[in-house]
Amino acid sequence: TGKHLWAERYDRTLKDIFALQDEITMKVIEGLRIRIVDGDRARSLSKGTENLDAYLKILKAAELYQHFNKDDIAIARQLCHEASALDPNYSSPYSILAFSYIDACHFGWTKSCPESYKQAFEFAQKALSLNDSDAWAHLAMSTLYRMQKQCDKSISEGAKAVALYPNGADANMIYSLALSDCTRHEEA
């Protein structure tokens, strides 16, 4: 019929029941991720953590972030801080935080753009220090370098993001902006 059925076996002791429950939940979420958040984006958000609660907080933060309004981004930031407290080695919370500070300046939600950009840079660097294959952290760096007119760095970071997230509209858009702002219009 063209349908593929699969099964997995989970042999554990009774004392591991809650860990097993989280493991199965993560597998189900991964299988359904296309319905929760764009498939490629969900895949990138899940990399780097096995903590189900941290992952779920980041999925919710990413959803709220997409609303692009001050209140929802404030909630998304809180969720990112909670996720990073649950798993300090998970890069995605820091990537979303970086973009939240970039956008705070773009949308006029901050009293100090230099301070917001400084925080964005710190969060993006933190994400990359944890996971150099975090496309969103590279996109944040590309955006920050582009705003500082550091063309080579902006293009380099954008190219890394596209290599990691080739079908991502955001990755291609930000890379294209870097190329365009650096007068490489045909490539953009």
Side-chain angles (χ1 to χ4, degrees):
T1 64
K3 293 183 180 180
H4 298 280
L5 300 175
W6 57 270
E8 290 189 32
R9 187 174 174 97
Y10 295 92
D11 293 324
R12 305 285 194 291
T13 64
L14 191 55
K15 71 179 177 123
D16 296 331
I17 193 73
F18 295 113
L20 175 62
Q21 181 181 3
D22 285 353
E23 184 180 336
I24 292 170
T25 302
M26 282 293 279
K27 293 243 184 220
V28 170
I29 287 172
E30 288 173 7
L32 297 173
R33 72 177 150 231
I34 193 120
R35 293 178 183 216
I36 298 169
V37 177
D38 168 72
D40 283 338
R41 187 156 197 212
R43 211 171 354 271
S44 72
L45 294 173
S46 68
K47 289 181 181 174
T49 191
E50 293 181 13
N51 184 306
L52 177 62
D53 291 330
Y55 179 58
L56 292 175
K57 285 180 185 295
I58 289 309
L59 284 178
K60 184 63 178 173
E63 176 191 343
L64 289 167
Y65 179 82
Q66 296 285 328
H67 296 166
F68 294 105
N69 72 58
K70 186 177 182 178
D71 294 335
D72 285 347
I73 287 181
I75 296 167
R77 278 186 187 172
Q78 181 59 41
L79 289 168
C80 287
H81 287 296
E82 292 171 13
S84 67
L86 291 169
D87 184 350
N89 296 315
Y90 185 22
S91 68
S92 291
Y94 301 106
S95 298
I96 294 172
L97 284 166
F99 269 106
S100 78
Y101 282 95
I102 291 168
D103 286 344
C105 198
H106 287 183
F107 293 115
W109 301 331
T110 182
K111 293 178 182 173
S112 173
C113 282
E115 183 59 32
S116 288
Y117 291 146
K118 180 180 176 220
Q119 288 195 296
F121 189 79
E122 289 171 5
F123 282 124
Q125 283 188 312
K126 174 72 174 177
L128 289 172
S129 75
L130 295 171
N131 179 4
D132 191 48
S133 64
D134 184 328
W136 293 96
H138 287 290
L139 290 174
M141 294 299 288
S142 178
T143 301
L144 291 162
Y145 285 136
R146 182 172 56 86
M147 294 164 48
Q148 296 171 356
K149 308 283 188 230
Q150 294 185 39
C151 285
D152 291 340
K153 289 181 179 181
S154 178
I155 290 169
S156 174
E157 292 293 334
K160 288 176 189 174
V162 169
L164 293 165
Y165 188 28
N167 296 322
D170 293 325
N172 284 283
M173 179 201 60
I174 290 171
Y175 180 47
S176 180
L177 287 171
L179 289 165
S180 181
D181 283 2
C182 296
T183 67
R184 292 170 58 177
H185 304 295
E186 286 192 30
E187 288 175 82

